[in-house]
Amino acid sequence: MKINGRLIVFTLILIALQTICKLLFAPRLEWSGFSPFIAIALFSGFIMKERNMSFLLPLLALFISDAIIHVLYLNNQFDFAGLYAGQWKNYLILLACTLIGWILKGRSYPGIAIAGIAAPTVYFLVSNFMVWQATTEAVYAKSFSGLMTCYEAALPFYRNSLIATLLFLPVILLLYNYLTRKKAVLTLS
């Protein structure tokens, strides 16, 4: 992919979208998880020909939004830290979502739909498995029942990330195609 002014503007729009969603939705438990970051990761896997570069866009969008949240937190203007110990795990799982984008490429409606469901599901399963595994307190028992309790507690986050991905992914694809190709199409060619 050739870097040009339109692509830079598009990247800035995605970073702003990620940051705004995090500012608006993350503090509200009923909206927590509603974010475009998985859609951005899928999109990056869809369009980037240089695989090592495909990691940059989702990581950049998430890191910048986390850094802004952290600055606000340090100035007592946000409820929780944007940067915290163990956060690297979220970034790593995000890269797995980019891999799903590589595999499915977004060239067909079924491929886009499968990616839009698969990536949030993988994120949910892996991240909550890690939460269950890392819990040192007696929050979740170290048993199959404890793991299922952990997954059950995270279902609202999964619902929100699934809805957000299925909403933001087509919007991102349409915006990208319009800005770079002057065509309002959903699939990538």
Side-chain angles (χ1 to χ4, degrees):
M1 175 190 343
K2 193 171 109 181
I3 295 179
N4 60 35
R6 288 183 184 156
L7 186 58
I8 291 169
V9 167
F10 181 72
T11 301
L12 293 173
I13 289 169
L14 292 181
I15 292 169
L17 180 64
Q18 170 63 27
T19 305
I20 291 167
C21 284
K22 200 166 212 179
L23 286 168
L24 292 176
F25 301 123
R28 299 173 58 191
L29 192 56
E30 69 275 9
W31 283 96
S32 192
F34 190 83
S35 166
F37 80 100
I38 294 175
I40 293 169
L42 284 171
F43 169 78
S44 188
F46 286 169
I47 66 160
M48 298 287 189
K49 289 178 180 39
E50 304 86 19
R51 291 191 176 190
N52 58 340
M53 291 300 292
S54 67
F55 294 122
L56 187 58
L57 177 59
L59 290 176
L60 186 66
L62 189 56
F63 179 75
I64 289 173
S65 68
D66 287 341
I68 291 169
I69 295 295
H70 199 72
V71 168
L72 292 171
Y73 170 75
L74 292 174
N75 289 300
N76 297 317
Q77 297 176 349
F78 203 75
D79 296 336
F80 54 85
L83 303 171
Y84 52 88
Q87 187 172 19
W88 62 272
K89 295 174 189 178
N90 290 329
Y91 287 75
L92 192 60
I93 302 168
L94 182 66
L95 298 181
C97 295
T98 304
L99 292 174
I100 292 169
W102 287 358
I103 294 166
L104 297 173
K105 283 300 178 201
R107 298 196 198 295
S108 69
Y109 295 126
I112 292 168
I114 290 168
I117 294 168
T121 303
V122 166
Y123 192 91
F124 166 77
L125 292 172
V126 174
S127 65
N128 288 290
F129 179 83
M130 290 190 312
V131 165
W132 169 76
Q133 185 182 37
T135 301
T136 54
E137 306 113 29
V139 176
Y140 301 114
K142 296 295 184 209
S143 64
F144 182 75
S145 175
L147 176 60
M148 292 301 106
T149 301
C150 181
Y151 282 134
E152 184 180 345
L155 282 174
F157 303 101
Y158 173 59
R159 179 198 66 225
N160 289 342
S161 68
L162 184 62
I163 292 168
T165 302
L166 293 172
L167 174 75
F168 286 117
L169 186 57
V171 170
I172 290 169
L173 289 167
L174 285 168
L175 181 61
Y176 172 78
N177 284 325
Y178 183 75
L179 287 175
T180 60
R181 299 180 181 136
K182 297 294 182 196
K183 293 181 185 177
V185 293
L186 184 61
T187 58
L188 298 170
S189 55

